[in-house]
Amino acid sequence: MRIGLLRETAAREHRVALVPATVKRLVQEEHQVLVEAGAGTAAYFTDQEYLDVGATIVPTAAAAADGADLVAKVQPPDPGQVTSFKRGAVLVSLLAPHVNGPLLDRLATAGVSSLCLELVPRTTKAQSMDVLSSQATVAGYQAVLFGATKLGRFLPMLTTAAGTIVPGKAFIIGAGVAGLQAIATARRLGAVVTAFDVRPVVKEQVESLGAKFVEAG
């Protein structure tokens, strides 16, 4: 199979659809992987790292997609990129179908099959393709770090010869994947954490992370 990896062009997007370790496995399975130059730069993967695992670096997105049986991206492709996809190709990407109807129509007209990753059922069999959970984990972690930089005080208790600073408090709303990661991160930073969720069943998970669960009502 010929696989094309395109560089992300969306503002502030630092992810890449295939990391060198994944490309290595694909090459070992005798697939040809074409990587657009600079595709991994924002994610701290150099072109040389892709070359070292057997990929071919090409100068443009069009060159990576040209003749590819499968095209890998994180964000939806630009409309202009679709013209480079061959009829019968498969695009694997986040596609935000609720706001990208015209793009989906363009892909269909071009004869491109699209696998919308955010719509993959969250079942045991598809767990390895569950991008929503993995990205929610990142969001919960980053939310606490960002909040801590804006708080204007320390989260952990700090005792020095000059006195003691009491720990900061964090309140997490929702104890899904993002919420649980936020709780764990805030606790590791030393905050006193309470959390709320409309589902009483998550109380045990919240408390296992060292937070106090606030029940509805």
Side-chain angles (χ1 to χ4, degrees):
M1 181 185 293
R2 187 182 176 103
I3 301 170
L5 173 61
L6 307 191
R7 182 173 58 85
E8 300 301 321
T9 58
R12 295 184 294 178
E13 178 57 75
H14 299 288
R15 294 172 293 180
V16 62
L18 297 174
V19 301
T22 302
V23 171
K24 181 178 181 179
R25 293 200 299 270
L26 292 171
V27 171
Q28 289 174 339
E29 294 174 2
E30 300 184 352
H31 300 298
Q32 181 186 15
V33 182
L34 303 180
V35 178
E36 181 185 357
T41 301
Y44 303 102
F45 297 112
T46 66
D47 288 346
Q48 187 60 51
E49 289 179 90
Y50 285 101
L51 286 171
D52 290 343
V53 295
T56 300
I57 302 297
V58 294
T60 64
D66 184 30
D69 303 296
L70 185 147
V71 177
K73 279 191 96 277
V74 176
Q75 295 287 352
D78 298 332
Q81 292 177 327
V82 176
T83 60
S84 302
F85 297 176
K86 77 171 187 178
R87 182 168 291 274
V90 175
L91 169 67
V92 179
S93 173
L94 296 169
L95 288 171
H98 55 293
V99 295
N100 280 325
L103 173 62
L104 298 183
D105 291 340
R106 192 180 188 112
L107 288 165
T109 300
V112 176
S113 298
S114 303
L115 174 58
C116 182
L117 286 174
E118 62 262 58
L119 294 185
V120 173
R122 301 174 78 177
T123 64
T124 302
K125 287 185 177 180
Q127 192 167 12
S128 62
M129 298 179 67
D130 182 6
V131 298
L132 296 181
S133 291
S134 65
Q135 298 311 294
T137 298
V138 175
Y141 173 74
Q142 288 284 0
V144 172
L145 296 185
F146 182 78
T149 65
K150 302 296 182 181
L151 187 60
R153 61 170 296 169
F154 291 116
L155 283 181
M157 183 173 70
L158 186 64
T159 301
T160 70
T164 298
I165 299 176
V166 298
K169 297 179 180 179
F171 180 54
I172 311 299
I173 301 176
V177 176
L180 291 173
Q181 181 60 50
I183 292 169
T185 302
R187 286 287 297 140
R188 284 197 294 269
L189 289 176
V192 175
V193 183
T194 54
F196 167 78
D197 195 291
V198 295
R199 301 165 299 159
V201 69
V202 302
K203 178 181 179 180
E204 183 178 348
Q205 297 178 56
V206 169
E207 292 178 342
S208 71
L209 293 171
K212 179 181 178 181
F213 185 71
V214 178
E215 299 190 39

